[in-house]
Amino acid sequence: MTLATARKRSAKPAPRAGGQGRPVDHGAWFLVLPALIPILVLSVGPLLYGIVLAFTDAQSGRTEPTQWIGTLNFQDLLHDTLFWDSFRIGLVWAVGVTVPQFLLALGLALLLNEELRLRWLARALAIIPWAMPEVVVGIMWRLVYNPDAGILNETIRDLSLGDGRDWLSGLATALPAVIVVGIWAGMPQTTVALLAGLQNTPRELHEAAAMDGAGAWRRFRTVTWPALKPVALAITALNFIWNFNSFALVYVLTSGGPGGRTRLPMLFAYEEAFRYGQFGYAAAMGCVMVAVISVILAVQLVGRLRGGEDA
Amino acid sequence: MRTSRRARAGQYAALLAYLVFLAFPFLWLISTAFKPARELASLHPTWLPQDPTLDNFRQAFDEQPLLRAAANSLVAALGAAVIAVLIATPMAYVMARHRTRLAKAATGWVVVSQAFPFVLVIIPLFLVLKNLRLIDSVPGLIMVYVVWALPFALWMLVGYVRAVPAEMEEAAAVDGAGKVRTLVSITAPLLAPGIVATALFAFISAWNEFFFALVLLKTPEKQTLPVVLTHFLGAEGVADLGPLAAAAFLATIPSLVVFALIQKRITGGMLAGAVKS
């Protein structure tokens, strides 16, 4: 209900809330400060400090003072093949999770938008991965993937498809196995967002198109997708960033193993910072991650969004 | 709209496949939690426990300080939720009602903060909290969680504030009510359900959070539930499956319950924030 009312309001040519805007009176500052101070002190400040640290040789537990070393960390990073391996793995993981997850969630959202009998159950189930702690999701899938006592291998044996394998510690299977978990874990949010987008599209348009004799695919392409596109783009961009920066799930599933095959950039940076104490170097990694992600998104999305608006 | 019978059958088949995909890991977790050690050691696991037992739960509590960890999680999550909402609500109100440079900057921060890898923030925070002697303490963790929860709290709350018609406030002002009076007697009651939903969502997020807790809490007595759960995994992934499953299942129940209660409001609120501009 809140959604509907909110939409109605923002659809109107915004009363006083938007547009010209009222000047902030002094009372407003008083309202903003309680949040503004912690944001500045504990978020913006540390972020800037983090960028500064990337240009120093900061280490944990060292007695000598930290020194400014210019771009040395970045030069080292350039030649750190392990870091670029993890970066590549991070991209494969982010794309490998985001794209199938979007397609699956779109399918589920389209189904849930129909008058189907088991819809309530699907909606209820779709909430579970969302509410679960990531650590539990990881533990749960380790139980599923367990080579002896796991249900996956047992099912494979039951279906006489082979003996199954140790999915999470196989060099070739670890990353795909982890990606499947990532897809599972993030499906609810994506589905809910897309479902809301679907319910946003006017039903009359659908009916009109159906009456004109448009088939399901044609209706999807000409009516559903254009209305859904902004939501779809936004959720995909966010999912991509979140996935690229994710940590807990893979930490629990494989800790980055076997042989670094699932070592996402965040796992690498975490080890560098909190296992080996290389704060400056890890901060430099964080900077590179932000920079590359921003560039990818800027190129991908700004271009597309603008194209969409022009059309 | 009419759908052909064959298309309907296809839709049900697809829905069924989704249901299996969504449900089976969770069912497996529950099943494993109730299986006796003997069944877990069997090379041919069964879907359901043949001889259900609560031994795993007992053993889980023996092996790790689950209750203390849950208490730590509760304090951290409650503290973060209450503080985050208390300071976010006034700011969200200003962001929703005044389109000033400040509100724009705040909105920008909300969006941008989603893109940052936490490692870039946690290293400096680690150093700062260490200097403040707040490292390895639940209050320190609460401070981090508050700031971490603020972006989505603001996002949701701005949506909820927009849903309260500004005309109602203006009408109250015309009737002679002061600013504070208007806020307290008109806006606050209408906003209350949204505030509660936001707080509960912040609660779940903090209850489930792992990375910051892992980095900041070193002493076992102070660790939160997700961190303690990883202790069950043991070295080199050799895990005691039964207690592991039992503890993991228990850790999920609070967030599942809370989430079930507020699910509609959360999705509504997040989307209200998302569709606004």
Side-chain angles (χ1 to χ4, degrees), chain B residues 141-254:
Chain B
L141 189 67
I142 291 178
M143 284 168 65
V144 176
Y145 280 173
V146 165
V147 177
W148 174 66
L150 273 177
F152 71 74
L154 285 171
W155 187 257
M156 286 173 73
L157 287 167
V158 166
Y160 288 127
V161 174
R162 292 246 161 103
V164 175
E167 286 90 351
M168 288 183 70
E169 288 169 13
E170 279 153 19
V174 170
D175 290 348
K179 254 231 137 77
V180 176
R181 174 87 193 279
T182 310
L183 280 180
V184 169
S185 55
I186 306 283
T187 317
L190 289 169
L191 216 49
I195 292 176
V196 171
T198 308
L200 287 172
F201 193 52
F203 176 88
I204 299 174
S205 306
W207 176 272
N208 292 349
E209 204 282 332
F210 177 64
F211 180 65
F212 293 131
L214 176 73
V215 170
L216 294 178
L217 305 172
K218 288 297 163 217
T219 322
E221 291 80 45
K222 291 177 181 155
Q223 287 173 338
T224 55
L225 204 48
V227 180
V228 169
L229 282 181
T230 61
H231 297 337
F232 281 101
L233 291 169
E236 295 300 309
V238 183
D240 216 344
L241 298 181
L244 174 70
F249 175 57
L250 285 181
T252 311
I253 293 176

Side-chain angles (χ1 to χ4, degrees), chain A residues 2-3 5-7 9-10 15-25 28-29 31-32 34-36 38-39 42-44 46-47 49-51 53 61 103-105 107-108 111-112 114-119 121-123 125-136 139-144 146 148-151 154-155 157-158 180 183-184 187 192-193 196 200 203 206-207 210 219 238 241-242 245 247-248 251-252 266 269-270 273-274 279 282-283 286-287 289-290 293, chain B residues 1 3 8 11-12 14-16 18-19 21-26 28-29 32 40 42-47 87-88 90-91 93-94 96-100 102 109 114-130 143-144 146-147 150 154 159-160 162-167 169-170 179 183 201 204 207-208 210-211 214-215 218 226-227 229-230 233 236-239 241 244-245 248-249 251-252 255-256 259-260 263-272 275-276:
Chain A
T2 44
L3 176 63
T5 31
R7 209 184 300 126
R9 300 238 20 106
S10 56
R16 286 285 165 79
Q20 301 300 314
R22 290 184 287 198
V24 178
D25 49 44
W29 278 101
L31 292 172
V32 166
L36 200 59
I39 287 173
L42 288 165
S43 176
V44 178
L47 196 66
Y49 187 13
I51 295 170
L53 278 174
L103 295 174
L104 283 173
L108 184 56
L111 281 176
L112 294 182
E114 297 277 326
E115 301 291 324
L116 295 180
R117 238 156 252 253
L118 285 171
R119 198 162 66 150
L121 181 61
R123 281 184 189 213
L125 279 177
I127 292 307
I128 291 178
W130 195 348
M132 271 186 148
E134 274 184 292
V135 168
V136 174
I139 289 172
M140 186 174 73
W141 278 88
R142 276 180 72 148
L143 297 170
V144 169
N146 188 288
D148 301 321
I151 193 62
E154 181 58 17
T155 309
R157 287 189 291 257
D158 281 349
V180 169
I183 294 171
W184 186 88
M187 254 188 44
V192 166
N200 234 346
R203 270 212 112 75
H206 264 282
E207 277 153 21
R219 281 204 305 274
L238 275 176
I241 299 170
W242 285 332
N245 291 334
F247 176 82
Y251 179 89
V252 173
M266 270 289 281
Y270 164 78
F274 296 102
F279 284 159
C287 290
M289 285 165 69
V290 176
I293 287 293
Chain B
M1 221 175 302
T3 314
R8 263 285 185 260
Q11 285 177 341
Y12 274 108
L15 189 62
L16 206 65
Y18 276 109
L19 290 180
F21 179 58
L22 288 171
F24 96 102
F26 191 60
W28 188 245
L29 173 75
T32 309
L40 286 169
S42 141
L43 277 179
H44 284 283
T46 47
W47 264 106
I87 65 180
M91 180 153 177
Y93 182 80
V94 174
R97 289 280 190 257
H98 305 263
R99 234 180 232 183
T100 59
L102 182 75
W109 173 79
Q114 296 303 306
F116 281 102
F118 296 135
V119 74
L120 203 55
V121 181
I122 194 66
I123 297 171
L125 268 179
F126 184 87
L127 294 172
V128 170
L129 290 176
K130 203 169 164 186
M143 284 168 65
V144 176
V146 165
V147 177
L150 273 177
L154 285 171
Y160 288 127
R162 292 246 161 103
V164 175
E167 286 90 351
E169 288 169 13
E170 279 153 19
K179 254 231 137 77
L183 280 180
F201 193 52
I204 299 174
W207 176 272
N208 292 349
F210 177 64
F211 180 65
L214 176 73
V215 170
K218 288 297 163 217
V227 180
L229 282 181
T230 61
L233 291 169
E236 295 300 309
V238 183
L241 298 181
L244 174 70
F249 175 57
T252 311
S255 32
L256 274 184
F259 208 97
Q263 180 255 98
K264 285 220 176 88
R265 291 212 144 265
I266 287 179
T267 51
M270 288 173 75
L271 295 160
V275 248
K276 67 182 178 189

Side-chain angles (χ1 to χ4, degrees), chain A residues 203-260:
Chain A
R203 270 212 112 75
E204 305 85 61
L205 267 180
H206 264 282
E207 277 153 21
M211 266 200 275
D212 288 347
W217 170 243
R218 225 188 125 83
R219 281 204 305 274
F220 177 78
R221 270 200 43 206
T222 54
V223 179
T224 314
W225 181 246
L228 200 59
K229 204 173 154 191
V231 178
L233 276 179
I235 191 78
T236 306
L238 275 176
N239 276 341
F240 179 82
I241 299 170
W242 285 332
N243 287 324
F244 186 78
N245 291 334
S246 65
F247 176 82
L249 208 55
V250 176
Y251 179 89
V252 173
L253 280 165
T254 62
S255 309

